[in-house]
Amino acid sequence: MAGGQGAVVAQRWTICEAGSNPSSHKFFPSAHVSSTPQVDYLYLFILLTKMASEPCRLYVSGAILGYKRGLRNQHNSTSLIKINGVDAKEDVDFYLGKRVAYITKASAEKNGTKFRVNWGRVCRAHGSNGVVRCKFNRDLPPQSIGGRVRIMLYPSRV
């Protein structure tokens, strides 16, 4: 919903609990609540149709920081990813086990597309600032450092 239309709906309509009004209508204009509400059904229909037709984003963006390492040794099999909006170790718990996609574009077409995907999984937290350790099917190349990944919101553990 572009332009904050959801906020307009929240200001314009009030949802009534079942049983609080003898009317069968559930949406009431917030300025006027009565037993016979004047509801703009066309506006409501268009709004709900638009909400249902918009695609939803099933991923959160993240940045590749580098590889897990110590002072002298670097472990290329484990990558460090900073997830947008995650700033504490407690927030990382939701993302454990989620799939991570590193997407690149190649010059030759393969299987009907030029895009390639390297899949991985979020293994555990790294530090206390929302960075996670991820293991990929194929180790990420060095030129991926600083690049973007998608952390999918599946599989769900809820």
Side-chain angles (χ1 to χ4, degrees), residues 29-152:
S30 57
H32 173 46
V33 177
S34 69
S35 61
T36 57
Q38 299 297 322
V39 179
D40 188 359
Y41 288 107
L42 181 61
Y43 174 77
L44 190 61
F45 174 75
I46 292 171
L47 179 70
L48 293 176
T49 305
K50 186 173 182 181
M51 285 172 46
S53 64
E54 287 184 1
C56 61
R57 183 171 51 94
L58 293 176
Y59 65 89
V60 176
S61 182
I64 302 171
L65 302 181
Y67 303 115
K68 183 181 113 173
R69 58 171 299 152
L71 183 61
R72 294 171 185 84
N73 297 329
Q74 174 174 288
H75 304 280
N76 298 339
S77 60
T78 305
S79 300
L80 303 178
I81 308 289
K82 175 68 174 122
I83 303 173
N84 287 357
V86 178
D87 296 322
K89 191 171 189 173
E90 295 78 31
D91 299 337
V92 169
D93 291 340
F94 173 78
Y95 292 97
L96 295 179
K98 298 284 191 269
R99 300 191 70 189
V100 182
Y102 173 65
I103 302 171
T104 55
K105 190 172 183 183
S107 58
E109 191 168 311
K110 190 179 194 180
N111 297 331
T113 180
K114 289 187 175 184
F115 291 101
R116 310 278 194 271
V117 181
N118 188 0
W119 288 100
R121 284 198 185 270
V122 177
C123 299
R124 56 171 290 183
H126 180 84
S128 59
N129 284 333
V131 176
V132 295
R133 296 182 194 176
C134 299
K135 286 191 175 273
F136 286 84
N137 291 346
R138 296 176 59 113
D139 296 346
L140 291 181
Q143 63 262 29
S144 70
I145 296 175
R148 307 302 290 179
V149 291
R150 294 179 177 182
I151 295 93
M152 302 300 173

